[in-house]
Amino acid sequence: MPHESRAALPRYEHLYINGEWVKPLDGELIESIDPATGRPWAIAPMGGRADIDRAVAAARAAFNGPWRRIPGYERAALLRRFADLFSAAIPELAVIESRDNGNLVREHRASLTAQVQWYQWFASLADKAQGTTIPIDDSVHAFTSRVPVGVVGAVIPWNAPLLATCLKIGAALAAGCTLVVKPAEQTPVSALELARLIHEAGFPPGVFNVVPGFGGTAGAHLVMHPDVSKISFTGSTQTAKHMVRDGADNLKRFTFELGGKAPHIIFADADLDNAINAATASAWRLTGQSCALGSRVLVERTVYERVVEAFRTRAHSVRVGLPSIDSNHMGPQAHEAQLKKTLSYIDFGKEDGAELVAGGHRIATPELASGYFVEPTVFAGVNNGMRIARDEIFGPVASLIPFDGEDEAIAIANDTPYGLTAGLWTRDVGRAHRVSSRIEAGMVWVNTYSFLRWSTPYGGFKSSGWGRENGIDALDPYLETRTTVISTTGQFPDLYAS
């Protein structure tokens, strides 16, 4: 297939700042690469430090101006209007998101449909930030009120850009904050489309700003900016550690949704057919590019070989191909660097002595060879000390680890610096409670996997994050508590009278 002329590519040349479409001051235009073809599909803007400065200034002015005084029910109405516009745009957004990050169009359609409900959920919370009355005595009236924290920098990952953006901006806008959104340089376009919908919904200028940019320049400057009160980041644990150091000078607030190495535990008494359905779906869904991926499949030894064989068979039935074809099960890795990382970890698995049961190669068929496609991969005979069991790969690589009994399963499950999600399968209700209560993870799924809704708090233990997204808890990181004490008498003694 010949290269498409750069002049013929869709062009997104403007940032969205203060309610206007403006060209970068100190950034550049780059080619956004379609992972399915390895070729450019659009031209996108990258902002620099000066662009972050003017976006933050716009957000700060909007926060200090009308936005913070708008009643919660009016913020709710704006969010509902935006949700309706978002719903109507799903067919277009699904294709754009797929061209940017390579996930299947049909998967994006399903996710975006759910995101409409997320926005409606956040709208329902916009007028629910209630304070409390504190009883003391008749001489004072003491109460608390919840107030928005200020300007929020939302730093978005490339693996699920619109979903991650939804979880951040929905809660922040409901709380009354203003935003500067910095999408990943690999997936810049969908956030600009969101800005178009925000503009159409009628949000005041400066409330929502979008500056795509590189992490080392635009992202770092956003984190260090003194007028940004809070950063909400989804991405790698290592990047989050750098952010904390960079934001320390002004005691910036952070919420992090970070990496994971989730254990997916299958006990011998489980409904194995359904457990295998869930475990294989989790291992390869979204091409393995999910922080909640159940990539460590812990299997009780008495059924281990049966599960290994099921994974081997299932891997060969996965249809890998172009994201635009609804019958395909798996698309490409989101960018070339991620493809190389996944292939390197497949080599690590073999070097460390794991048995390669299925997959393990880049797909080289003529129609897919230029894209970033890799086979669904299965390793057996894995122990928890191997690199494929320790590190977050972010590729479709399943590591099958045998165990004997509950205590060993829990020990292996918790033997990781991460603690985002976990799953377990058993018909024993008592075991379900015993094991789930001992798993060090922010979300544990029992006899299901990857069940996530707008009302279920989501976040990690240990190195998997700070704070929670979703649920009523999602507003807390975007709100401060103010305590007010009012004297009912107005009397204050003269301490120097005698």
Side-chain angles (χ1 to χ4, degrees):
M1 183 185 297
H3 267 277
E4 190 172 0
S5 165
R6 180 166 180 160
L9 297 174
R11 300 183 73 85
Y12 296 82
E13 299 186 3
H14 297 84
L15 315 172
Y16 185 72
I17 297 175
N18 202 30
E20 298 179 338
W21 295 98
V22 297
K23 289 194 173 183
L25 289 176
D26 61 346
E28 59 184 301
L29 297 179
I30 67 165
E31 295 175 336
S32 185
I33 304 300
D34 184 339
T37 65
R39 301 184 183 93
W41 80 273
I43 302 298
M46 293 287 110
R49 292 169 57 94
D51 299 303
I52 291 294
D53 284 341
R54 59 177 171 166
V56 172
R60 177 58 63 181
F63 180 72
N64 290 332
W67 184 244
R68 72 189 305 173
R69 295 191 295 272
I70 289 177
Y73 65 83
E74 291 188 13
R75 294 198 303 273
L78 285 167
L79 276 166
R80 291 190 181 101
R81 192 178 308 152
F82 168 75
D84 290 340
L85 293 167
F86 183 93
S87 180
I90 284 174
E92 177 185 359
L93 290 172
V95 173
I96 288 171
E97 189 89 322
S98 180
R99 295 298 298 273
D100 249 359
N101 86 337
N103 287 339
L104 302 178
V105 173
R106 65 173 174 81
E107 289 180 325
H108 283 307
R109 282 197 299 264
S111 176
L112 295 172
T113 300
Q115 286 170 47
V116 175
Q117 299 304 316
W118 254 282
Y119 284 117
Q120 296 285 9
W121 165 262
F122 288 125
S124 75
L125 299 180
D127 58 357
K128 306 298 190 300
Q130 299 176 346
T132 59
T133 299
I134 304 171
I136 299 177
D137 58 45
D138 291 343
S139 67
V140 295
H141 175 56
F143 60 93
T144 65
S145 49
R146 307 300 307 280
V147 296
V149 70
V151 176
V152 173
V155 183
I156 309 301
W158 49 258
N159 65 314
L162 284 175
L163 177 58
T165 305
C166 170
L167 301 185
K168 298 179 191 316
I169 72 173
L173 292 173
C177 297
T178 58
L179 286 136
V180 177
V181 176
K182 204 293 288 183
E185 57 265 32
Q186 299 91 344
T187 54
V189 176
S190 58
L192 297 169
E193 288 294 329
L194 278 191
R196 177 178 60 83
L197 300 176
I198 285 280
H199 188 87
E200 187 176 350
F203 282 81
V207 169
F208 184 87
N209 307 274
V210 178
V211 182
F214 295 102
T217 52
H221 192 53
L222 182 63
V223 170
M224 291 186 287
H225 203 292
D227 284 335
V228 174
S229 302
K230 173 183 167 49
I231 294 291
S232 179
F233 169 68
T234 297
S236 77
T237 300
Q238 195 60 39
T239 300
K241 291 177 181 178
H242 286 296
M243 287 182 169
V244 172
R245 289 192 287 268
D246 290 344
D249 283 348
N250 59 358
L251 296 179
K252 201 177 305 294
R253 297 153 185 79
F254 291 96
T255 49
F256 293 133
E257 197 268 274
L258 305 175
K261 196 68 179 178
H264 202 157
I265 307 168
I266 301 175
F267 286 97
D269 68 348
D271 178 337
L272 284 183
D273 289 340
N274 280 300
I276 289 165
N277 288 345
T280 54
S282 171
W284 303 318
R285 183 174 172 269
L286 304 176
T287 320
Q289 297 169 141
S290 168
C291 47
L293 185 75
S295 58
R296 287 189 300 148
V297 186
L298 282 53
V299 186
E300 197 156 20
R301 198 175 301 274
T302 54
V303 294
Y304 183 76
E305 292 304 326
R306 179 177 167 185
V307 173
V308 169
E309 187 56 36
F311 263 80
R312 183 200 314 271
T313 302
R314 197 68 59 88
H316 293 301
S317 69
V318 176
R319 290 189 295 273
V320 183
L322 297 177
S324 58
I325 299 174
D326 280 358
S327 59
N328 285 335
H329 297 130
M330 198 176 89
Q333 301 263 238
H335 51 87
E336 187 175 19
Q338 182 54 51
L339 172 70
K340 291 178 178 178
K341 179 182 177 183
T342 297
L343 294 174
S344 73
Y345 270 91
I346 291 171
D347 289 339
F348 292 158
K350 291 184 284 189
E351 290 171 10
D352 290 347
E355 176 193 355
L356 182 62
V357 171
H361 303 93
R362 182 175 183 175
I363 296 176
T365 55
E367 68 275 16
L368 302 180
S370 62
Y372 309 137
F373 295 89
V374 64
E375 295 171 330
T377 299
V378 183
F379 280 103
V382 178
N383 67 64
N384 209 47
M386 294 180 179
R387 284 171 286 184
I388 57 173
R390 303 299 301 174
D391 300 340
E392 187 176 42
I393 300 171
F394 242 51
V397 180
S399 298
L400 275 58
I401 304 174
F403 70 85
D404 295 296
E406 288 181 21
D407 287 343
E408 186 178 15
I410 293 165
I412 295 172
N414 290 339
D415 181 20
T416 172
Y418 299 110
L420 185 60
T421 62
L424 67 98
W425 289 80
T426 178
R427 286 190 172 98
D428 184 332
V429 174
R431 169 178 283 160
H433 283 280
R434 286 194 303 272
V435 175
S436 64
S437 69
R438 295 173 63 189
I439 297 293
E440 296 169 352
M443 189 161 227
V444 181
W445 293 296
V446 179
N447 293 337
T448 187
Y449 201 87
S450 200
F451 183 93
L452 190 63
R453 293 296 185 271
W454 39 90
S455 54
T456 54
Y458 182 72
F461 289 12
K462 300 189 287 189
S463 293
S464 285
W466 292 352
R468 292 296 179 268
E469 295 180 316
N470 294 344
I472 296 173
D473 296 357
L475 259 62
D476 283 346
Y478 300 95
L479 295 168
E480 296 277 28
T481 298
R482 176 192 292 124
T483 301
T484 303
V485 179
I486 299 176
S487 171
T488 60
T489 67
Q491 302 299 306
F492 200 93
D494 180 357
L495 299 181
Y496 310 108
S498 62

